[in-house]
């Protein structure tokens, strides 16, 4: 008896994304709270966001995004043997999202689990998917980030209501003769866990904005650079930098510090808002759709958020 051979690498076959149709502008928010377009754009960079209706769940959005990624991959549902869903906004924690998403997509009897690393969730899940493929534990993996943050927001609180939004993004991961997903660099700062928190099932999301801003703009650029180093990539060779879409000022501050001088910087937050675990795949999927990046180029992904958690890796664009 011998241990089966394992794949030398994993790569992404396709991305997919989904956003609710309902657009909420800054002027819309100004009708119900003390805020205005200039105030919101100057602080977080958002012009508008998508908010799901009451009858559209994070599972519904995950199915839409996952279905698009699956269709783009050229694989059939029967080819998927592992589904990982990154989310922190489920109304009900049991059963998990992954099994429900798999069933609705016609994926029979896959391994199925959820990841709650908040806004870093997709990058965590992608790291887990890559490891599963390379170790031989899975052949093809559907990875989804999906969030319905609107159901956890106090819509009279301008500190959070102007920032968060709903949506989903997904990717299909498979084995590769050469690595197309670099080593994940991940970690946490649990001593700051209460900087972003939902205290209990009867509470709304609360965020200490200045604490998160200082942490993100000082602690995360070394993580991004380490992800490049571990992948053997010079930041100047990156075609895209796709960080979590938390705040436009945070995005631009990190981008300046990592030396990705030739990269297109994802600024999806302007029209999509902060969609937590969905934001990285949503932003990159939309960049690919618009033709801003090309197949075979390299992108640096960087997720960070509640926990406080962070994770990043370099990927080859499918």
């Amino acid at each position: 008896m011998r241990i089966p051979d394992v794949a030398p690498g994993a790569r992404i076959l396709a991305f997919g994304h989904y956003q609710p149709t309902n657009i909420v502008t800054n002027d819309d928010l100004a009708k119900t709270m003390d805020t205005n377009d200039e105030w919101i754009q100057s602080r977080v960079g958002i012009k508008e966001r998508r908010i799901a209706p009451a009858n559209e769940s994070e599972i519904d959005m995950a199915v839409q995004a996952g279905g698009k990624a699956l269709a783009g991959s050229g694989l059939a549902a029967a080819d998927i043997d592992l589904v990982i869903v990154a989310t922190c906004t489920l109304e009900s924690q049991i059963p998990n999202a992954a099994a429900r998403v798999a069933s609705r997509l016609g994926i029979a009897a896959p391994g199925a689990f959820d990841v709650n690393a908040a806004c870093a969730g997709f990058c965590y899940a992608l790291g887990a998917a890559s490891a599963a493929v390379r170790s031989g534990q899975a052949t093809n993996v559907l990875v989804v980030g999906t969030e319905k943050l609107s159901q956890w927001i106090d819509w009279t609180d301008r500190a959070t209501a102007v920032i968060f939004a709903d949506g989903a993004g997904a990717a299909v991961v498979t084995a590769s003769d050469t690595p197309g997903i670099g080593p994940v660099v991940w970690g946490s700062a649990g001593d700051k866990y209460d900087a972003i928190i939902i205290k209990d099932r009867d509470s709304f999301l609360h965020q200490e904005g200045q604490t998160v801003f200082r942490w993100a703009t000082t602690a995360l650029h070394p993580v991004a650079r380490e992800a490049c180093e571990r992948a053997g990539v010079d930041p100047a060779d990156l075609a895209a930098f796709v960080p979590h879409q938390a705040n436009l000022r945070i995005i631009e501050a990190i981008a300046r510090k990592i030396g990705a001088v030739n990269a297109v910087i994802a600024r999806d937050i302007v029209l999509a808002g902060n969609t937590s675990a969905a934001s990285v795949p949503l932003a990159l999927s939309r960049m690919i759709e618009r033709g801003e990046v090309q197949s075979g180029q390299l992108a640096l992904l960087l997720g960070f958020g509640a926990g406080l958690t962070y994770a990043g890796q370099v990927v080859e664009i499918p």
Side-chain angles (χ1 to χ4, degrees), residues 251-304:
I251 291 166
E252 292 176 342
I254 297 173
R256 285 193 301 270
K257 293 177 179 180
I258 63 174
V261 294
N262 298 309
V264 178
I265 310 302
R267 294 180 172 86
D268 208 51
I269 189 170
V270 175
L271 299 180
N274 178 338
T275 57
S276 189
S279 77
V280 168
L282 175 60
L284 183 50
S285 182
R286 280 160 52 88
M287 291 172 77
I288 293 169
E289 185 176 75
R290 292 191 299 263
E292 295 177 0
V293 290
Q294 305 301 317
S295 176
Q297 292 182 320
L298 298 177
L300 170 62
L301 313 184
L302 180 66
F304 52 91

Side-chain angles (χ1 to χ4, degrees), residues 111-241:
F113 65 90
D114 292 357
V115 171
N116 181 355
C119 307
F122 179 81
C123 292
Y124 266 74
L126 186 63
S130 175
V133 168
R134 289 185 294 105
S135 67
Q137 299 301 302
T139 304
N140 300 299
V141 187
L142 175 63
V143 184
V144 185
T146 185
E147 304 285 15
K148 190 176 180 180
L149 286 146
S150 60
Q151 62 193 0
W152 295 100
I153 297 300
D154 177 355
W155 286 96
T156 67
D157 175 16
R158 71 173 185 174
T160 54
V162 304
I163 299 172
F164 295 101
D166 304 331
V172 174
V173 175
T174 193
S176 174
D177 290 337
T178 56
I181 301 173
V184 63
V185 177
W186 51 21
S188 60
D191 58 310
K192 298 179 179 64
Y193 80 93
D194 55 355
I196 309 171
I197 191 170
I198 299 174
K199 291 183 179 179
D200 53 48
R201 66 192 303 163
D202 298 317
S203 299
F204 295 117
L205 186 151
H206 172 75
Q207 175 172 267
E208 296 292 341
Q210 286 302 311
T211 299
V212 175
F213 184 89
R214 287 192 296 270
W215 172 74
T217 53
T218 57
L220 295 177
H221 65 277
V223 176
R225 292 191 66 89
E226 184 181 349
C228 290
E229 291 170 6
R230 294 189 63 187
V233 173
D234 188 315
D237 294 330
L238 294 168
F241 174 45

Side-chain angles (χ1 to χ4, degrees), residues 25-27 30 35-42 46-48:
T25 67
N26 293 341
D27 290 336
T35 192
N36 58 64
D37 179 67
E38 188 280 330
W39 187 88
I40 296 170
Q41 287 202 53
S42 67
I46 299 171
K47 293 182 179 180
E48 62 184 45

Side-chain angles (χ1 to χ4, degrees), residues 16-67:
H17 68 273
Y18 174 79
Q19 292 178 284
T21 58
N22 181 36
I23 298 173
V24 177
T25 67
N26 293 341
D27 290 336
D28 291 331
L29 294 178
K31 296 174 184 176
T32 60
M33 66 183 72
D34 181 19
T35 192
N36 58 64
D37 179 67
E38 188 280 330
W39 187 88
I40 296 170
Q41 287 202 53
S42 67
R43 283 159 177 78
V44 293
I46 299 171
K47 293 182 179 180
E48 62 184 45
R49 72 284 294 148
R50 302 291 186 100
I51 302 299
N55 63 352
E56 185 171 50
S57 71
E58 61 280 343
I59 304 298
D60 296 326
M61 293 186 285
V63 169
Q64 292 289 333

